[in-house]
Amino acid sequence: MSNQIIPDHKFPVDVCGIFKITEIMNDRWTILLLREAFYGVTKFNDFLVNTGISKQILSNRLKHIIELVIFELSIYTELGVRERKEYLLTK
């Protein structure tokens, strides 16, 4: 093993990409929700059915993923139906 000198990098946590990705991937449910989103799932009930997650955990994870600005909440209305929410991947 060689003794490598590693430069002293001090990044604020809020701009560190490695920290952010570990925050996101820290939970198996979050990983499954991201998988579903990449397959085109956007609706709460579809996430629920496709992952087997409980409603409470799903609600909490979706809120967290929105806070991380990975999903955005979109409100839409189908003709004759109340307002609905969908969760869209951000750019």
Side-chain angles (χ1 to χ4, degrees):
M1 255 189 178
S2 67
N3 290 336
Q4 286 185 316
I5 297 173
I6 300 173
D8 186 24
H9 292 291
K10 294 187 179 176
F11 294 103
V13 172
D14 62 337
V15 296
C16 177
I18 293 172
F19 178 80
K20 285 187 175 197
I21 204 71
T22 58
E23 182 181 20
I24 295 164
M25 298 303 195
N26 189 28
D27 173 73
R28 69 180 174 148
W29 294 118
T30 301
I31 294 169
L32 289 175
L33 295 175
L34 289 173
R35 178 197 69 191
E36 292 301 313
F38 278 104
Y39 282 127
V41 173
T42 62
K43 298 186 176 53
F44 187 93
N45 284 337
D46 293 337
F47 283 117
L48 194 67
V49 170
N50 293 355
T51 62
I53 192 171
S54 75
K55 286 182 180 182
Q56 184 63 47
I57 292 173
L58 176 56
S59 180
N60 291 340
R61 293 310 182 280
L62 289 171
K63 286 177 189 172
H64 182 68
I65 296 171
I66 290 169
E67 289 170 1
L68 292 172
V69 194
I70 296 169
F71 284 176
E72 63 184 4
L73 182 60
S74 176
I75 307 294
Y76 69 97
T77 306
E78 293 177 358
L79 189 60
V81 181
R82 65 180 172 84
E83 273 189 353
R84 301 275 186 190
K85 298 177 184 176
E86 63 181 346
Y87 301 88
L88 306 172
L89 285 166
T90 60
K91 291 182 181 185

